[in-house]
Each structure stands twice: as structure tokens, then as C-alpha cells.
Amino acid sequence: MPKGLLYLAVAILAEVVATSALKASEGFTRLGPSLIVATGYAIAFYFLSLVLKTVPVGVAYAIWSGVGVVLIALIGWLVLKQPLDLAGMIGIALIVAGVTVIQLFSRTGAH
């Protein structure tokens, strides 16, 4: 796996962990979840900065945010039991399709 993709995967996972802990931080009034949020975002942005050495910012951000949105929506639905209607599922499918097109067909993608 190319370093750019590995760094991007780490950035995405750290961002997803941090975002998932936001609700538990209760507006940053709980120390443990708040530390997870701060640490997760710090790791995410650090690794995203490494990705940007080899991948254009627009492509990297599109993949990072798109995959992050999909994962957070799935965590919300599966773990937090938040409803996800048909329109939400279609929107998520379109995000996945967009990221797939970038990865498979763009010469500027994170290869």
C-alpha cells in the first residue's frame, strides 16, 4: 500500500474516532471523551498533512471527508441507533461512488 493511502487511512480513522467521541464529551465537559476528541483530531490533521505531500489537497480532502461522512453515518446508524432513511442511504451511496471514481479514474487520486 502506498504511503499516501496508508496515511490517508490513518487520518480518516483518527477523525472518525474523534467525531464519534464528540457526543460523549458532552460539550467538552467530560475529560476522557474530550481527550479522545482532541487527540483524534490532532492525529487526523497531522496525517492529512503528510498525505498532502503526495496527493493534491482537493482529492485528499474529498476522499478524507467523503469516507469520514460515510463511516460516521454508519456508526450513528449501527451503534447509536440513529435512523437512516432511504434518502440518507442514497446520499451515502453517491459519496461512495464519488470516492470510487476518484480512486479508480483520476490521475491525481491517492494512488
Side-chain angles (χ1 to χ4, degrees):
M1 172 182 280
K3 275 188 187 179
L5 278 179
L6 178 62
Y7 291 162
L8 188 55
V10 171
I12 291 166
L13 290 175
E15 186 267 335
V16 167
V17 169
T19 301
S20 297
L22 271 173
K23 183 174 173 89
S25 77
E26 295 181 10
F28 293 101
T29 60
R30 295 184 60 220
L31 181 60
S34 297
L35 290 174
I36 292 171
V37 171
T39 303
Y41 283 130
I43 291 168
F45 283 110
Y46 172 73
F47 277 91
L48 185 60
S49 75
L50 297 179
V51 172
L52 297 179
K53 291 180 179 181
T54 58
V55 179
V57 68
V59 172
Y61 190 75
I63 294 170
W64 181 64
S65 60
V67 173
V69 166
V70 170
L71 292 176
I72 290 298
L74 290 175
I75 288 169
W77 181 51
L78 296 171
V79 176
L80 303 175
K81 305 299 182 203
Q82 297 172 344
L84 187 61
D85 61 10
L86 180 60
M89 287 186 241
I90 291 170
I92 289 171
L94 290 170
I95 292 170
V96 170
V99 170
T100 302
V101 166
I102 290 170
Q103 276 299 110
L104 293 179
F105 301 110
S106 174
R107 290 183 292 202
T108 59
H111 299 286

